[in-house]
Amino acid sequence: MRPPMVLFRSLLALVLSAGVSAVAWGQLPQAVLTSVFPPGGKIGTTFDVAVIGQDMDDVEQLQFSHPGIKATLKMAPPDDFSKKPKRMEGTFSVTIEGSVPPGLYEARVVGRYGTSNPRLFIVGQLEEIIDAGGNNATEKAQEIKLGSVVSAKADNNQYKYYKIALKQNERIVFDCQAQRIDSRFDATLVVLSPAGKELARARDTEGSDACLEFTAPADGEYLIRVFDAVYGGGPDYFFRLAVTARPHIAFVFPPAGQPGANGNFTVYGQNLPGGKPVPGWSSGGMPLEQLGVSIAIPGDPNVRMFDPRPTLQQASVASMEYSLDSPAGKSNVVPVYLAKAPVIVEKAEANDTDAQAQPLTLPCEVAGQFFPQSDVDWYQFEAKKDQVFLIDLISHRLALPTDPYIALFRVTKDDNGEKLVDVAQVDDSDQRNTRLGDDYDTSTDDPSYKFTVPEDGIYKLLVRDNFGSGRNDPGMVYRLVIRPPQPNFTLVARPAHLSAGQNDQNKPAVVVPVLRKGGTALIEVEVLREDDFNGDVEVSVEGLPAGMTSSPVLAGSVTRTVPLVLAITDAVAAWSGPIKIIGKAKVDGGEIAREARYAVMVWGSPNRQQSPPTFRFSQQMQVSVVDKEAAPVQVQVDEKIFETALGGNLEIPVMVKRYGDYKEAIKLTASGLPNEIKPKEINADASAGQTKLEITLNQANIKPGTYTFYLKGEVKQKYVRNPDAVPALEAEQKDLMEMIAQLTEAQKQSGTAKDEATKKAAEAAAAAKQAEQEKNAAKDDAKAEAEKKLADAQAAAKTADEAKAAAEQAAKDAADKLKKATEMKTALDTKLNQTKQANQPKDISVAVASTPVRIRIAKTPISLEQNGAPPTVKQGDKVELPIKLNKLFGFDEAIEVTWEPKNIPNLNAKKIDIAKGAADGKFEITAAKDTPAGEHQVSVKAKGKWNNINVEAETMVTIKVEAAPPEEKK
C-alpha cells in the first residue's frame, strides 16, 4: 500500500505544479521544460527522473532523441484513498537500453500544451550516484568513488562537499558538467587535502564548466568542494561531477582533416593511454600530454555533428565527433572539422616575422595555433593577376574565445630591398557589430576576405589573435583557408517569438512551435551565404502531418532571414514530432540541398543587458499540434510570387478566417521587410473575410530582388486556460468527499465498537476479579470448581482486552485515515481554488502570423528591343530603326529613348518620345560620308519616371553601315 503521507505530498506537489500557472506575456501557454533530474544515466539501467517546468498540464510523455531511451509516467497503485492508479505528476521511469551509445541526447515532455523545448541528457558508462543532500559542510561530505558520476542540485549560498579515498600518485580527472548540459550552474571546483588545505582549483575550463586533473600526493581521503561562481542555487542549478581515470581531450591538432581520408592527428589532453607530457604546455590550467592517432574523416564535406555548445558561430563549419578509447573507458567527445582544402601544418615559431613567412602552395588550409602568448604568424604565396581567392581565418567559429585578424601585403622590391605594400586589413565581419547581442546571433569575429589578385607576384599574410596578448594556451587553434570561391550556403532555423502587448525585454524563456486548431506557427530561417553566393534559396518543410501545410519560401540575396509559416486546419488531431527544413539552390549549374541546423533558446532573461539569454543547436526541430484549443484567427496569403518593379504598386489579396465566435477587427502590419519597404497597415473589420495589402515601392534605395515576409496581427480575446481542469478536480473532490463521509461513518462505528469493547473488557475484568475473590474464599471441597471459574473468567478478560486493543487500534486507524483524507481534501480544495482562479476567463492579447507573403521586385518595369532585322544605311544617307518598348507590371508612362553610339563617328539620331499608352517608336539614323562602314553595336537607352522613381532600360541594337561608291563620297 502506498503510505498516505506519500499521497499527501504528491497531491501537495500537484498544487504547486502545472495547471495553475498564468498565461504569461499575453501569449497562449506552451510547455516549457526547465530541468530533467538526474540529467543522465548509465547504459542498461532503469531509474526514476523528475521533470520541472511551466505550463506542464497533463504531461504524460517524456521523449528522448534516441529510440533506445524510453520513459513511462509513474503511477501510484490503488490504495485506501484511490481505487484507481494515480499519476505521479512529473515523475517518469526511464530505461536506457544497452544498445544506446554513450553521448549527449535531448529530452522533451509532451502535454496538453504541446511538445516542450529540449533539455540535454547524458548517457554514460559510469556508476550513477544521486546527491543525498545535507552535504554543505566538510564533516558531512558525501562519499563517492573513482569511476562514478554524481548528479546534484546546488543550494543557494552553499558549498557541496564530496570525499574520495585515493592512493599516493593516483591520477584522476574531476569533470563538472553544467553549462554543457543546459544548466545555469557556473562551476568552481576545489580539491582539499585530508587536513582541509586547498591543493587545486579550477573554473571556466570548458566554457563555464570546470575540469581538473589531480594527482594524489599521498594516501588519504580527499575533499572536493563544488559551488556556483555567484553562489546561485535551485532546480535550474544542476550539475554532474564525474570522477574518473579516463582520458580527457583538450583539443585535436590539426583541427581539421581532408574529407574521405585517414589522417594523422595529435590528441592533446590528460590521462591519454601512452601519452607523453608536453613540457610547458597547459590548457585550461591543466598540463597537457600528447598522443598520435589516426582518424577517418567522412567524405561528405557538408556533414554537421550535433555540437550543442552555447555558440551558434559553428553553424557553417562541417565537423565530426571523435573520442578516444582506453582501458579506463571512452574519453569525452570533441569535434574534428572537415577541411576545405589540402591541409598544411604551421611551422610553429619559424614564421614569427615577415622575413620568416612560411611558403604556401594554393589552394590550402593551414592548421595553426595562436600560441605562445602574443603569437604572430606570417605566410607567403605566389599568385597571378586576376586570380580570385577566398582568404578565410576560422577560429571563433570553432567555439573558441578568439578574435582573429589578418593583414595582406604585396611584396615589391627596389634598390633598397624588399618592401611590403598594404593590400587589405580585415578584422570582424561586416555584420558583427550590428548583430552582437541579438537573439540567435550567428555572426563571427573571424575575418574573411575575397582577394582578386591585382598583379603577378608574391603576397604575404599576417594572422594574429587580438586577444592573444592575454593568454598562453595552445588550444587556441585556427584554420587559415586560402582557396578559390566555392559558393555554398547554410541554413539556421529557429522558432520565432511573436510578442503581443509587451516589449522584447519580456520574451519567455523559450519558444517552441505549437499550433492550435486553425492556427499558425512561425519559424525563422537564416541563410548564411558563403563565397559570394547570391542565388535564391527555396526553403521548404518535410515531414508534416496530415492537415498541416507550409508553403515553400524564397530567400533572395537581399534578405538574411525568411519566415517559414506552418498552418493547420480547424479539424486536426493532436500531434507531435520532428520536421525537416530543407534549402535548395542552383549553384554552378547544379542543384544543392542543405538541411537546416536547428537553434533553440536555452535560457531567457528578464533583463537582457544584465543577463543575456543563451542559445545552442538542437538535434531536431520539433513541432506539435494542440487539439483542445482553437486559434482565434488565421490570416492567409496566396503562395504565388507577386511581382512588380521599382516605382510600382502591389495589391495582394489577404484572407482573414475567424474561428468560433471571434468577430473583432484585426490590424495587420508587415514584418520582415527592410525599412525602405513600408506596406500600408491593414485594418480588417469584423465583416471582412478578404482584404488587401498595398505596397508602394517609391523609395530610391530599395534593392531589387526577392523578399519573403509575413503579416503580424494582435488579437484580444477572452481565454480560459484549461476548461477541463476544474471539472476533473471537482469530480476528484466529490469522490474524496464521499470517501470522507464513509470514513466519518467508519470512525463513528469504530468509536462505538471501541466503547463497547471497553465496556465488555471492564465487565470481564470485574468478573475475573470476582472469580478470584470467590476462589480465595472457597472451601477445600469447592476450590477446584472456583479455580476453573477463575481461569475461565481470566481467559474471557484477556479476550475482552484483546478485543478492546483491536477496537482502539481500529478507531485510531479510522481517525488517522479520516485525518489524512481531510488533509488531502484541504490540499485538493486549495488546488481547486487556485485552478478556478487560473481558469477564470481573462482578457489576453495573442499575436498571430500570416502565411508568407512573397514579392519579387525587378529593377525596371521596361525593356527595349530592336524591332525587326538590323537596318542598313549607306554612308551619307539615312534609315529608320523601329524600337519596341516593353512595358511591364502595369507601367504605362511616357518614355524618352536616346541614341548613344560610342566611338562610332557621325552615326547620329535624334531622341524619340514614346507617349503614354504607346509602345513603339522609330529612330531616324543618319550616317555621314565618313562614318566607318561595317556592322556596329549601338547603345539605346530609355528613361522615364514611375511614382517619382527613375525608370531606365538599355539595350544594344545592330546597324549596318554600307560604304558609298567613291564617286558619292566626293
Side-chain angles (χ1 to χ4, degrees):
M1 179 187 295
R2 187 180 183 197
M5 183 54 70
V6 175
L7 244 178
F8 174 66
R9 284 199 298 263
S10 176
L11 189 57
L12 186 60
L14 280 178
V15 176
L16 303 175
S17 67
V20 296
S21 59
V23 179
W25 299 283
Q27 294 294 290
L28 298 171
Q30 57 183 30
V32 172
L33 180 59
T34 303
S35 69
V36 176
F37 191 85
K42 185 180 180 181
I43 297 169
T45 62
T46 298
F47 52 96
D48 289 352
V49 303
V51 295
I52 299 175
Q54 302 163 11
D55 294 325
M56 292 176 61
D57 303 52
D58 305 333
V59 164
E60 294 185 346
Q61 295 181 54
L62 175 60
Q63 297 179 344
F64 292 89
S65 56
H66 192 288
I69 311 175
K70 296 180 170 62
T72 56
L73 181 67
K74 293 207 73 175
M75 304 291 289
D79 57 20
D80 291 340
F81 297 91
S82 176
K83 303 307 179 185
K84 298 179 181 179
K86 286 194 125 182
R87 296 157 46 99
M88 296 176 65
E89 300 287 348
T91 304
F92 289 83
S93 177
V94 172
T95 298
I96 303 175
E97 296 178 352
S99 59
V100 179
L104 274 175
Y105 300 94
E106 290 185 313
R108 301 173 191 255
V109 294
V110 183
R112 181 184 184 91
Y113 299 118
T115 304
S116 75
N117 58 297
R119 281 290 181 242
L120 290 172
F121 187 84
I122 299 178
V123 171
Q125 298 169 310
L126 300 176
E127 292 301 318
E128 295 280 336
I129 300 172
I130 302 298
D131 184 273
N135 53 338
N136 301 124
T138 55
E139 65 273 13
K140 297 180 180 179
Q142 182 174 347
E143 183 177 359
I144 56 176
K145 294 182 178 180
L146 186 64
S148 65
V149 57
V150 58
S151 292
K153 298 176 187 176
D155 301 320
N156 274 311
N157 300 311
Q158 297 284 338
Y159 295 137
K160 285 282 187 182
Y161 284 98
Y162 305 96
K163 58 185 177 182
I164 184 169
L166 298 174
K167 298 291 186 182
Q168 185 176 16
N169 295 325
E170 193 167 10
R171 190 178 175 200
I172 61 175
V173 172
F174 298 101
D175 188 6
C176 188
Q177 294 177 296
Q179 180 196 50
R180 286 171 285 169
I181 55 172
D182 290 346
S183 174
R184 292 184 186 272
F185 189 70
D186 185 354
T188 300
L189 277 180
V190 180
V191 178
L192 305 174
S193 72
K197 179 182 178 182
E198 182 173 320
L199 301 177
R201 174 183 290 257
R203 186 189 169 207
D204 295 347
T205 313
E206 301 258 356
S208 64
D209 289 350
C211 189
L212 176 64
E213 182 192 32
F214 179 72
T215 301
D219 291 0
E221 194 172 66
Y222 292 82
L223 292 171
I224 305 102
R225 179 193 294 155
V226 186
F227 60 95
D228 180 69
V230 294
Y231 300 99
D236 301 349
Y237 289 76
F238 49 88
F239 62 87
R240 282 169 63 86
L241 176 64
V243 186
T244 75
R246 298 183 306 181
H248 181 271
I249 301 176
F251 64 95
V252 175
F253 193 83
Q258 198 71 27
N262 284 318
N264 294 321
F265 296 81
T266 301
V267 171
Y268 292 90
Q270 297 79 35
N271 281 1
L272 306 181
K276 297 180 180 179
V278 187
W281 279 34
S282 66
S283 183
M286 295 188 289
L288 291 173
E289 300 173 353
Q290 64 180 14
L291 177 68
V293 297
S294 177
I295 302 176
I297 306 297
D300 182 0
N302 295 294
V303 68
R304 302 286 191 269
M305 71 172 272
F306 170 54
D307 190 340
R309 283 180 286 184
T311 169
L312 301 186
Q313 278 68 45
Q314 293 174 285
S316 61
V317 292
S319 59
M320 60 167 282
E321 296 178 348
Y322 175 75
S323 62
L324 183 65
D325 283 320
S326 81
K330 280 184 173 291
S331 74
N332 57 313
V333 175
V334 294
V336 175
Y337 299 92
L338 277 65
K340 297 186 176 184
V343 177
I344 299 172
V345 176
E346 173 202 1
K347 294 179 180 178
E349 300 182 18
N351 62 348
D352 293 342
T353 67
D354 64 293
Q356 297 174 300
Q358 180 175 338
L360 304 176
T361 300
L362 306 186
C364 69
E365 177 170 319
V366 181
Q369 294 165 284
F370 295 124
F371 176 77
Q373 188 169 352
S374 301
D375 181 44
V376 174
D377 295 332
W378 285 85
Y379 301 95
Q380 71 176 39
F381 56 87
E382 187 173 354
K384 300 293 185 182
K385 182 177 174 24
D386 296 330
Q387 282 185 302
V388 180
F389 294 102
L390 182 78
I391 302 175
D392 195 13
L393 186 54
I394 305 171
S395 183
H396 187 219
R397 279 170 284 173
L398 308 183
L400 296 173
T402 53
D403 183 11
Y405 165 90
I406 59 177
L408 179 64
F409 303 92
R410 181 167 58 87
V411 178
T412 63
K413 293 183 180 180
D414 58 21
D415 293 340
N416 295 320
E418 185 177 282
K419 290 185 177 180
L420 299 182
V421 177
D422 184 56
V423 175
Q425 297 186 40
V426 189
D427 199 346
D428 301 340
S429 62
D430 293 340
Q431 59 175 259
R432 180 61 171 161
N433 290 333
T434 58
R435 293 287 309 279
L436 200 60
D438 283 358
D439 284 358
Y440 300 99
D441 176 19
T442 57
S443 66
T444 173
D445 286 334
D446 288 342
S448 185
Y449 178 62
K450 182 182 177 182
F451 176 43
T452 301
V453 181
E455 56 184 90
D456 295 359
I458 302 294
Y459 293 84
K460 291 191 176 184
L461 191 65
L462 171 151
V463 303
R464 71 163 186 256
D465 175 15
N466 288 330
F467 297 153
S469 61
R471 58 179 164 225
N472 192 38
D473 189 340
M476 299 298 111
V477 299
Y478 65 80
R479 299 165 54 196
L480 173 62
V481 184
I482 310 176
R483 57 169 173 77
Q486 299 169 358
N488 198 358
F489 67 92
T490 299
L491 301 182
V492 175
R494 70 258 184 157
H497 172 71
L498 290 173
S499 59
Q502 299 287 343
N503 59 33
D504 286 346
Q505 294 294 319
N506 292 320
K507 289 183 182 178
V510 294
V511 182
V512 289
V514 176
L515 293 87
R516 267 78 178 171
K517 292 190 297 183
T520 57
L522 176 64
I523 297 172
E524 293 177 337
V525 182
E526 181 179 2
V527 182
L528 306 180
R529 298 174 180 272
E530 303 170 35
D531 298 12
D532 285 342
F533 170 66
N534 60 4
D536 285 352
V537 179
E538 183 181 74
V539 183
S540 60
V541 184
E542 297 179 359
L544 296 178
M548 186 182 296
T549 58
S550 180
S551 302
V553 296
L554 279 181
S557 60
V558 290
T559 56
R560 189 184 76 237
T561 302
V562 292
L564 198 62
V565 180
L566 310 177
I568 56 173
T569 66
D570 58 350
V572 293
W575 179 84
S576 67
I579 62 172
K580 286 187 176 182
I581 297 174
I582 306 295
K584 296 180 180 179
K586 299 290 185 182
V587 176
D588 294 336
E591 184 179 79
I592 63 173
R594 301 283 182 262
E595 182 178 358
R597 300 199 69 180
Y598 306 114
V600 293
M601 181 183 287
V602 180
W603 296 107
S605 172
N607 189 320
R608 293 173 172 242
Q609 282 70 41
Q610 294 182 6
S611 176
T614 56
F615 308 87
R616 66 169 175 84
F617 285 115
S618 175
Q619 289 172 313
Q620 298 174 325
M621 174 65 77
Q622 286 270 357
V623 175
S624 54
V625 174
V626 172
D627 66 348
K628 295 183 181 298
E629 296 180 351
V633 65
Q634 187 177 97
V635 181
Q636 296 177 324
V637 181
D638 195 303
E639 63 182 44
K640 67 176 281 189
I641 299 177
F642 296 88
E643 297 185 82
T644 190
L646 290 177
N649 299 306
L650 286 172
E651 289 189 356
I652 300 173
V654 177
M655 180 67 67
V656 179
K657 187 175 182 180
R658 293 168 169 81
Y659 293 96
D661 59 355
Y662 186 76
K663 304 295 184 184
E664 302 300 319
I666 301 171
K667 183 183 294 184
L668 298 169
T669 56
S671 183
L673 284 171
N675 291 332
E676 54 269 22
I677 304 178
K678 296 182 179 180
K680 291 182 180 179
E681 190 174 76
I682 296 176
N683 284 293
D685 61 33
S687 62
Q690 182 168 312
T691 181
K692 63 182 178 181
L693 175 69
E694 299 179 65
I695 309 175
T696 300
L697 301 167
N698 58 359
Q699 297 293 319
N701 56 350
I702 294 174
K703 295 180 180 178
T706 302
Y707 295 84
T708 303
F709 60 101
Y710 64 95
L711 302 177
K712 178 182 173 182
E714 183 176 315
V715 298
K716 298 184 185 300
Q717 68 173 92
K718 291 284 187 184
Y719 178 71
V720 177
R721 189 180 182 281
N722 184 345
D724 298 330
V726 171
L729 288 174
E730 287 176 337
E732 190 174 344
Q733 185 189 54
K734 180 181 177 182
D735 291 343
L736 194 54
M737 290 174 66
E738 291 176 356
M739 180 188 298
I740 289 173
Q742 295 171 359
L743 290 174
T744 301
E745 180 61 28
Q747 184 194 36
K748 180 179 178 181
Q749 292 177 2
S750 67
T752 301
K754 183 186 77 168
D755 292 343
E756 184 66 25
T758 300
K759 178 181 177 182
K760 288 183 178 180
E763 291 173 348
K769 186 175 180 181
Q770 178 65 33
E772 184 177 12
Q773 290 173 350
E774 291 176 356
K775 176 237 177 196
N776 292 336
K779 303 296 184 181
D780 290 343
D781 58 347
K783 260 195 187 299
E785 184 179 349
E787 286 177 348
K788 182 178 181 305
K789 184 177 180 181
L790 175 61
D792 291 343
Q794 287 175 334
K798 181 180 178 183
T799 300
D801 283 342
E802 289 174 348
K804 174 188 173 185
E808 288 174 342
Q809 185 61 49
K812 183 179 183 302
D813 289 345
D816 287 345
K817 286 182 180 179
L818 179 59
K819 180 182 177 183
K820 296 304 178 188
T822 304
E823 290 173 345
M824 290 172 61
K825 182 178 180 299
T826 300
L828 186 59
D829 289 346
T830 300
K831 180 180 180 182
L832 179 58
N833 290 335
Q834 290 179 337
T835 303
K836 284 181 176 179
Q837 182 63 35
N839 288 283
Q840 288 293 315
K842 290 182 173 62
D843 291 319
I844 66 168
S845 296
V846 179
V848 296
S850 75
T851 56
V853 187
R854 304 193 295 176
I855 64 174
R856 182 174 288 135
I857 304 172
K859 185 177 181 179
T860 179
I862 59 174
S863 67
L864 289 169
E865 59 182 286
Q866 184 170 328
N867 199 353
T872 300
V873 60
K874 188 183 295 184
Q875 289 173 332
D877 204 350
K878 61 179 65 175
V879 70
E880 287 187 341
L881 172 64
I883 291 294
K884 183 177 181 181
L885 176 68
N886 298 308
K887 295 181 177 181
L888 307 172
F889 313 122
F891 174 82
D892 195 25
E893 302 300 314
I895 288 292
E896 177 186 276
V897 185
T898 57
W899 175 265
E900 298 186 9
K902 296 179 181 179
N903 303 317
I904 308 173
N906 298 324
L907 186 65
N908 300 316
K910 292 181 179 179
K911 72 177 179 68
I912 57 176
D913 293 314
I914 298 178
K916 183 175 182 177
D920 298 311
K922 290 181 180 180
F923 280 112
E924 185 178 81
I925 302 166
T926 302
K929 292 183 177 180
D930 59 350
T931 300
E935 190 171 278
H936 299 287
Q937 295 289 316
V938 179
S939 171
V940 175
K941 293 183 179 180
K943 294 181 180 180
K945 280 190 176 292
W946 196 18
N947 289 327
N948 294 319
I949 296 294
N950 291 328
V951 170
E952 296 182 355
E954 181 178 7
T955 191
M956 301 299 292
V957 299
T958 301
I959 188 165
K960 298 176 182 177
V961 177
E962 184 180 277
E967 61 273 13
E968 292 184 12
K969 290 186 177 182
K970 291 181 180 180

